[in-house]
């Protein structure tokens, strides 16, 4: 037999030979018998052993020789990652002041993620806390919405922070009151359909109500419709008029309009 290299000698030599599949000498059954070589291990088995065992062995040897844990940088890197991704892109960013404020007043991390993702495509969630976030939250609470309802409205329609309270939000509430919806019902409408704040009063809300009037609905019926099914303002005038004409012919306009609008045209 050829002599072994000096680097393969020592207490770890036998372990090394087992890992890489080098032949080791062993005796046949029976004492004093001739030495025999074991059958060679398949190449795939050798590669698997090296793959799963070499890394831990290297880790252990590094720790014994240097006293350093190679996992330290990895663990430190994971620990330093930010808690929440606050941009609409897939990259993560540090918490913005607006996000910190929402967390401090009771919003969960999941809600803050939802607010950030819905704030706008390509926009980072960083509205001014004093000029936008706090005024909007305070105004929603003044309408009679509970804390949970405010969180729901902001989470599902976070673009509300991009709207001026006086210029865009208040006119919508004033319009709701003008069509006969009371203060307690206004809070219910907003909590049920926060996307109402994305529509224009002149370009969408008023034409929708006028279409309802043109089909013969009275003011009380329109009020009940807006309270029970505020999503009706999101439909196109063509679809709304067609559904109302079909129901009016059947005498079920006032009672079935909400459920009929949820159906498809198929």
């Amino acid at each position: 037999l050829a002599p072994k290299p000096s680097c393969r000698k020592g207490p770890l030599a036998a372990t090394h030979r087992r890992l890489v599949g080098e032949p080791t000498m062993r005796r046949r059954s029976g004492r004093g018998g001739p030495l025999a070589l074991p059958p060679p291990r398949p190449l795939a088995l050798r590669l698997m052993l090296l793959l799963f065992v070499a890394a831990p062995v290297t880790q252990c040897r590094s720790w014994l020789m240097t006293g350093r844990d190679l996992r330290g940088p990895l663990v430190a890197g994971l620990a330093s990652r930010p808690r929440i991704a606050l941009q609409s892109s897939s990259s993560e960013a540090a918490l913005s002041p607006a996000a910190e404020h929402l967390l401090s007043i009771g919003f969960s991390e999941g809600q803050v993620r939802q607010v950030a993702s819905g704030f706008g495509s390509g926009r980072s969630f960083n509205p001014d806390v004093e000029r936008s976030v706090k005024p909007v939250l305070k105004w929603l609470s003044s309408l009679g919405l509970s804390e949970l309802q405010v969180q729901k409205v902001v989470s599902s329609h976070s673009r509300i922070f991009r709207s001026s309270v006086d210029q865009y939000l208040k006119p919508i509430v004033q319009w709701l009151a003008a069509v006969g919806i009371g203060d307690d019902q206004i809070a219910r409408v907003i909590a049920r359909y926060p996307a109402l704040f994305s529509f224009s009063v002149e370009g969408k809300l008023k034409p929708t109500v006028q279409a309802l009037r043109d089909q013969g609905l009275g003011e009380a019926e329109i009020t009940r419709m807006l309270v029970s099914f505020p999503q009706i303002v999101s439909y196109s005038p063509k679809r709304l008029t067609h559904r109302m004409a079909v129901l009016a012919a059947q005498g079920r306009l006032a009672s079935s309009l909400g459920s009929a609008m949820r159906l498809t045209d198929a």
Side-chain angles (χ1 to χ4, degrees):
L1 295 175
K4 301 292 183 181
S6 58
C7 61
R8 301 264 177 99
K9 296 180 180 179
L12 295 179
T15 302
H16 181 271
R17 286 194 295 271
R18 286 196 301 271
L19 292 177
V20 301
E22 290 185 354
T24 56
M25 304 300 293
R26 66 180 182 182
R27 296 185 181 274
R28 295 181 183 274
S29 60
R31 300 181 61 181
L35 298 176
L37 295 176
R41 292 188 177 92
L43 178 60
L45 179 59
R46 297 182 188 183
L47 294 177
M48 291 177 61
L49 289 173
L50 286 175
L51 177 63
F52 289 101
V53 181
V57 170
T58 303
Q59 174 78 27
C60 180
R61 291 182 62 184
S62 174
W63 179 80
L64 289 173
M65 296 174 62
T66 65
R68 296 177 57 191
D69 189 351
L70 296 180
R71 295 174 300 173
L74 176 61
V75 175
L78 292 176
S80 64
R81 293 176 64 185
R83 292 176 296 168
I84 304 175
L86 293 178
Q87 290 182 331
S88 57
S89 62
S90 59
S91 61
E92 293 187 350
L95 289 174
S96 67
E100 290 282 8
H101 177 70
L102 294 181
L103 290 172
S104 68
I105 61 175
F107 281 70
S108 67
E109 288 192 358
Q111 289 174 324
V112 176
R113 288 181 186 275
Q114 187 177 356
V115 170
S117 63
F119 189 65
S121 177
R123 293 173 176 262
S124 60
F125 179 64
N126 194 24
D128 189 274
V129 175
E130 299 298 329
R131 297 181 180 181
S132 180
V133 177
K134 288 184 178 180
V136 168
L137 296 176
K138 182 179 179 180
W139 179 73
L140 290 174
S141 298
S142 69
L143 296 177
L145 277 75
S146 65
E147 181 178 346
L148 293 178
Q149 288 176 327
V150 171
Q151 293 176 356
K152 176 184 176 183
V153 170
V154 172
S155 299
S156 59
H157 188 64
S158 57
R159 295 189 180 188
I160 194 173
F161 289 132
R162 293 162 52 184
S163 303
S164 168
V165 172
D166 293 330
Q167 187 174 358
Y168 295 105
L169 303 182
K170 284 185 178 181
I172 294 176
V173 172
Q174 294 170 354
W175 174 81
L176 292 174
V179 296
I181 300 178
D183 294 340
D184 57 333
Q185 294 176 322
I186 287 177
R188 187 186 310 173
V189 170
I190 294 173
R192 182 169 294 176
Y193 191 55
L196 182 70
F197 289 119
S198 62
F199 297 115
S200 166
V201 173
E202 298 296 332
K204 184 65 175 176
L205 301 181
K206 287 185 176 181
T208 299
V209 170
Q210 187 59 46
L212 296 174
R213 290 171 179 156
D214 293 342
Q215 292 296 325
L217 289 181
E219 297 301 320
E221 293 173 327
I222 293 175
T223 299
R224 286 197 301 268
M225 177 62 62
L226 292 174
V227 172
S228 62
F229 188 63
Q231 295 89 337
I232 194 172
V233 299
S234 65
Y235 295 103
S236 65
K238 180 180 179 180
R239 181 177 183 181
L240 182 61
T241 302
H242 172 70
R243 296 294 175 89
M244 292 175 64
V246 173
L247 292 175
Q250 300 176 357
R252 299 186 297 118
L253 179 58
S255 60
S256 304
L257 181 58
S259 58
M261 294 303 300
R262 296 183 179 95
L263 301 176
T264 64
D265 292 329

